[in-house]
Amino acid sequence: MAVLAAVIMVTAGGCSSGSGHRGPLSAGDEAGSACGSGDGESVFTFGLDWLTNESDSPVTVTGVELIDAENIELVEAVFLPPPSDAPPRALIGLVDGYPPREYTEHSDGGAYWELREAVGEATVEGRESVNLLMGLRADGAASMEGAVVSYEYKGDSYHVETMNGFRVRKQCGGDD
């Protein structure tokens, strides 16, 4: 069973690109790194990124791919709105296992988890923010530097890169 470690956030510039001009979906302006403790195969929920549609029209998310993935694979990517009982822009963060038991089995009986939209079916409405949740499976020491989210907006294709990385180590917080 994996034990989670600290998440460190630092300020950096955002990135969104498409066919020659910036698209409306943004991944914020903070970059960070998280570490999860694991030995052998480990599974995590990684939900450290908000995506915001800065336009008045919807965007359709068509794919998510990991950036510089080493010994780690994407199990599933979904989007969830902010929890109704949490402060605005509250992230799910880093959780052992996928799907995250806290959101699938606890107080609301899984009603919040039922609000998720799978990549390929997900629409981010105008002026809406969603939490990108990725189920990740690691094999021993592993890492990824973020994710590329592909989407369509008014007939054009775009992508935005998230800026939060993740690594899995036997023990987090020390020298690797």
Side-chain angles (χ1 to χ4, degrees), residues 74-94:
L74 181 65
V75 174
E76 182 178 45
V78 300
F79 296 96
L80 279 168
S84 61
D85 62 346
R89 312 239 340 142
L91 293 166
I92 288 181
L94 181 62

Side-chain angles (χ1 to χ4, degrees), residues 39-65:
D39 192 14
E41 185 175 289
S42 304
V43 178
F44 300 91
T45 298
F46 185 82
L48 296 177
D49 294 297
W50 278 108
L51 298 178
T52 301
N53 181 351
E54 296 174 358
S55 78
D56 291 324
S57 300
V59 301
T60 302
V61 178
T62 57
V64 173
E65 294 180 28

